[in-house]
């Protein structure tokens, strides 16, 4: 990075700074000329020339102030620590107005001459070059001004799967009867099996491949047990269920987060027998889940339920209870080899990386430690713990939290807003429809080009063509260079115009 600015809570230019500067310069020049047309009419009324110039200056200042407030209403959210800055700005404004009153002609001439009329062109060209350079590094900029804001980024809130990891799942460990587990995982699944392997969402494709590797072809299973009902996956329940017809009736398969599935199980299968679930067995299964998660594996559980006839109501609350636990499947998702170096580069540049994931907290912690996101003195929390925090508690805790696990979409928005309200320029990544609000709330919304939905891409300021965290870091580096070039251009134009 060109500038190693520490991630402290200092004033940084936001998303609107370049637009506001250009807007004020253009409006100032236009108003100066338009208000000058009234000089002759006011003079004809017997008003002294000095008063005419003073009224013109005052009118321009008032109109500019009104336009500024309309353009950026955040001026009304001044914090106490910013008060000295605004007082200083007020004193400077009073001084300039006094000079305009007593030496209006000389000051007016200097003000007009100092306006860099070429700034709008220079800024547009510099931002356009930045957009072109970023596109060569797989970062597609959807809004021109996002280039400048990228250079001011201080916090990056990133998804884990697919951004920090490769999103190439493989089942490497499982518990429970293989045939029953493989059948449940393959049928309670929307991926399809083709000649080259499973096609679909990476997690579901890994489960279909796991079943196929154990002689359980999904096509054959579906012909024997066709699907006749389902309760689709929901991020709140963290599971999905499907109902299938069998020779003796109907069977329901449920797949999802182990802790959530276990909570709904009253029995379990062991050595071909169905036994009542006990607290000792539940503790044993949760320990097995934790052992896999500590190895940075994504773990899913499967369960079943039998019916004599097709249930009339197929809502989740009607289906997902009194389940029989079948087993666990642990999948490895290797981290991207370039991400660890990118995170280290972030820290050197004063940027704080934060991991936000729907995975189990033990899985998230293991990967965060491997990548260097979770350091000494920082901690990981779950979505449930976050929900239990009041706004006042979270305001004290969020600087010390580096990993969020088992989060809901509304948690992401709360995290982003906490950093932004503290004055940090924040970037947020996402790929699902539910991520759109948090991406929209961030200073820089980052959508995924490969796995992202159209909704997410449309609200994002930048789209990653390769879904790679390292690409965000490269884009920030380019953004800092663009911001530095704009500052140099402003200094050159202002000094040249003033000297002239």
């Amino acid at each position: 990075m060109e500038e190693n600015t520490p991630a402290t809570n200092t004033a940084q230019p936001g998303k609107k700074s370049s637009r506001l500067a250009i807007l004020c310069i253009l409006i100032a020049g236009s108003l100066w000329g338009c208000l000058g047309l009234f000089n002759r009419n006011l003079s004809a009324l017997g008003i002294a020339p000095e008063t005419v110039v003073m009224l013109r200056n005052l009118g321009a200042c008032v109109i500019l102030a009104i336009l500024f407030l309309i353009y950026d209403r955040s001026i009304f959210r001044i914090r106490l620590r910013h008060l000295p800055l605004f007082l200083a700005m007020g004193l400077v404004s009073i001084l300039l107005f006094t000079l305009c009153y007593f030496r209006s002609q000389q000051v007016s001439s200097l003000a007009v001459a100092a306006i860099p009329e070429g700034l709008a062109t220079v800024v547009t060209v510099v931002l356009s070059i930045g957009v072109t350079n970023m596109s060569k590094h797989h970062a597609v900029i959807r809004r021109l001004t996002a280039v400048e804001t990228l250079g001011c980024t201080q916090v990056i809130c990133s998804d884990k799967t697919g951004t920090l990891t490769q999103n190439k799942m493989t089942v490497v460990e499982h518990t429970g009867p293989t045939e029953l587990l493989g059948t449940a995982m393959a049928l309670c699944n929307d991926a399809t099996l083709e000649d080259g392997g499973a096609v679909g969402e990476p997690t579901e494709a890994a489960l279909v491949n796991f079943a196929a590797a154990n002689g359980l072809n999904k096509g054959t299973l579906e012909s024997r047990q066709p699907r006749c009902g389902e309760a689709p996956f929901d991020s709140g329940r963290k599971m999905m269920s499907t109902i299938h017809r069998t020779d003796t009736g109907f069977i329901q398969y449920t797949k999802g987060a182990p802790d959530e599935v276990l909570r709904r199980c009253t029995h379990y299968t062991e050595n071909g027998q169905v036994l009542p679930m006990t607290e000792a067995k539940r503790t044993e299964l949760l320990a097995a889940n934790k052992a896999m998660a500590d190895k940075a594996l994504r773990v899913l559980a499967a369960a079943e339920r039998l019916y004599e006839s097709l249930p009339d109501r197929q809502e989740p609350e009607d289906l997902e209870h009194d389940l029989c636990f079948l087993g666990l499947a642990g999948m490895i998702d290797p981290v991207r080899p370039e991400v660890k170096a990118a995170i280290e580069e972030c820290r050197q540049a004063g940027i704080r990386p934060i991991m936000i994931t729907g995975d189990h907290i033990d899985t998230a912690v293991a990967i965060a430690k491997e990548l260097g996101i979770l350091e000494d003195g920082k901690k990981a929390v779950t979505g449930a713990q976050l929900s239990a925090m009041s706004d006042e508690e979270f305001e004290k805790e969020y600087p010390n939290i580096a990993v969020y696990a088992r989060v809901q979409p509304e948690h992401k928005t709360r995290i982003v807003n906490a950093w932004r309200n503290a004055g940090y320029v924040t970037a947020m990544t996402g790929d699902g429809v539910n991520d759109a609000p948090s991406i929209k709330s961030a200073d820089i919304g980052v959508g995924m080009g490969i796995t992202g939905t159209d909704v997410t891409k449309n609200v994002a300021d930048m789209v990653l063509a390769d879904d790679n965290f390292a690409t965000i870091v490269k884009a920030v580096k380019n953004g800092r260079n663009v911001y530095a070039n704009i500052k140099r251009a402003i200094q050159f134009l202002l000094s040249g115009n003033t000297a002239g």
Side-chain angles (χ1 to χ4, degrees):
M1 299 276 179
E2 182 173 311
E3 301 178 9
N4 293 338
T5 306
T8 55
N9 195 10
T10 55
Q12 290 281 357
K15 187 179 289 187
K16 299 179 179 178
S17 56
S18 286
R19 285 177 289 177
L20 185 59
I22 297 170
L23 181 69
C24 288
I25 289 169
L26 294 177
I27 293 177
S30 301
L31 286 175
W32 206 270
C34 292
L35 292 174
L37 297 176
F38 295 99
N39 280 5
R40 219 174 272 177
N41 296 330
L42 292 174
S43 299
L45 296 176
I47 300 176
E50 294 82 2
T51 306
V52 171
V53 175
M54 183 196 71
L55 291 174
R56 185 181 66 179
N57 294 339
L58 179 61
C61 293
V62 170
I63 295 174
L64 275 174
I66 293 173
L67 288 171
F68 177 76
L69 293 177
I70 293 173
Y71 185 75
D72 189 1
R73 290 182 295 274
S74 63
I75 190 73
F76 295 110
R77 298 194 297 269
I78 300 173
R79 291 183 171 82
L80 188 60
R81 64 175 179 274
H82 296 153
L83 190 57
L85 174 63
F86 282 93
L87 289 175
M89 292 171 61
L91 291 174
V92 171
S93 300
I94 294 172
L95 177 62
L96 288 176
F97 180 77
T98 304
L99 287 173
C100 286
Y101 180 78
F102 291 104
R103 302 184 59 84
S104 57
Q105 189 63 42
Q106 295 88 334
V107 175
S108 300
S109 300
L110 178 61
V112 173
I115 295 175
E117 66 277 359
L119 180 59
T121 303
V122 171
V123 170
T124 303
V125 170
V126 172
L127 292 177
S128 300
I129 293 173
V131 169
T132 303
N133 291 337
M134 290 183 191
S135 66
K136 296 177 182 177
H137 294 94
H138 308 291
V140 180
I141 305 298
R142 299 188 65 251
R143 294 178 178 84
L144 195 62
T145 51
V147 178
E148 177 216 1
T149 312
L150 271 169
C152 309
T153 300
Q154 297 168 284
V155 178
I156 301 177
C157 300
S158 175
D159 279 339
K160 178 185 73 67
T161 305
T163 307
L164 300 174
T165 61
Q166 299 179 27
N167 206 17
K168 296 179 180 178
M169 301 284 188
T170 305
V171 177
V172 294
E173 191 173 336
H174 73 278
T175 65
T178 303
E179 184 174 352
L180 288 177
L181 180 65
T183 300
M185 292 296 192
L187 290 178
C188 187
N189 198 312
D190 292 326
T192 58
L193 184 63
E194 299 182 358
D195 293 339
V199 176
E201 196 273 329
T203 301
E204 295 205 321
L207 296 172
V208 171
N209 286 330
F210 163 71
N214 287 280
L216 302 169
N217 184 283
K218 182 173 181 178
T220 304
L221 294 174
E222 287 180 324
S223 63
R224 296 174 182 170
Q225 299 182 18
R227 184 186 298 190
C228 52
E230 67 176 308
F233 176 82
D234 178 79
S235 59
R237 296 170 18 247
K238 295 184 177 63
M239 66 182 70
M240 69 175 291
S241 299
T242 56
I243 301 175
H244 301 263
R245 187 186 301 275
T246 66
D247 295 336
T248 58
F250 296 87
I251 187 170
Q252 169 191 323
Y253 295 117
T254 297
K255 169 182 103 267
D259 45 348
E260 297 295 331
V261 172
L262 261 175
R263 197 172 290 130
R264 292 164 172 80
C265 290
T266 57
H267 295 77
Y268 66 97
T269 299
E270 186 174 76
N271 298 325
Q273 295 181 324
V274 176
L275 304 173
M277 180 68 70
T278 62
E279 285 304 315
K281 186 63 178 180
R282 197 183 304 273
T283 302
E284 178 187 332
L285 293 172
L286 288 173
N289 173 42
K290 179 174 173 54
M292 291 186 189
D294 286 341
K295 300 175 186 176
L297 302 183
R298 169 176 279 190
V299 188
L300 292 180
E304 67 177 13
R305 183 182 178 187
L306 301 176
Y307 299 91
E308 293 182 356
S309 60
L310 185 66
D312 295 328
R313 292 177 53 84
Q314 297 182 10
E315 298 299 322
E317 57 270 18
D318 299 313
L319 301 178
E320 293 167 349
H321 59 86
D322 298 326
L323 303 179
C324 179
F325 188 85
L326 296 178
L328 302 169
M331 294 161 280
I332 190 170
D333 183 14
V335 299
R336 292 180 181 269
E338 65 274 16
V339 167
K340 188 172 184 178
I343 289 174
E344 179 60 29
E345 191 174 1
C346 275
R347 295 198 180 281
Q348 292 176 0
I351 300 172
R352 172 80 180 272
I354 295 175
M355 178 194 290
I356 303 177
T357 179
D359 280 354
H360 191 277
I361 189 169
D362 294 329
T363 304
V365 166
I367 293 179
K369 287 182 177 179
E370 181 180 352
L371 293 174
I373 294 177
L374 188 61
E375 297 183 318
D376 293 339
K378 305 301 179 184
K379 60 183 180 180
V381 300
T382 63
Q385 292 172 320
L386 180 56
S387 296
M389 293 184 190
S390 65
D391 291 338
E392 292 75 15
E393 291 174 332
F394 185 54
E395 187 175 351
K396 296 177 182 178
E397 289 293 331
Y398 78 88
N400 300 319
I401 302 174
V403 177
Y404 295 87
R406 287 282 193 253
V407 295
Q408 302 294 337
E410 60 270 19
H411 293 147
K412 296 183 178 182
T413 304
R414 188 180 181 189
I415 295 165
V416 168
N417 288 336
W419 285 101
R420 290 195 67 208
N421 291 338
Y424 292 88
V425 179
T426 307
M428 176 72 200
T429 71
D431 53 9
V433 174
N434 292 334
D435 293 331
S438 58
I439 289 178
K440 189 71 174 177
S441 299
D443 295 290
I444 287 291
V446 183
M448 301 294 112
I450 299 175
T451 61
T453 61
D454 290 339
V455 173
T456 305
K457 295 176 187 177
N458 286 336
V459 300
D461 300 293
M462 178 175 72
V463 177
L464 304 182
D466 57 356
D467 292 8
N468 195 336
F469 180 87
T471 301
I472 304 176
V473 180
K474 294 176 183 176
V476 172
K477 182 177 181 180
N478 281 321
R480 289 194 173 187
N481 291 333
V482 167
Y483 178 63
N485 290 335
I486 291 175
K487 286 199 300 184
R488 295 189 190 104
I490 293 174
Q491 292 169 356
F492 171 77
L493 292 172
L494 285 176
S495 59
N497 287 13
T498 304

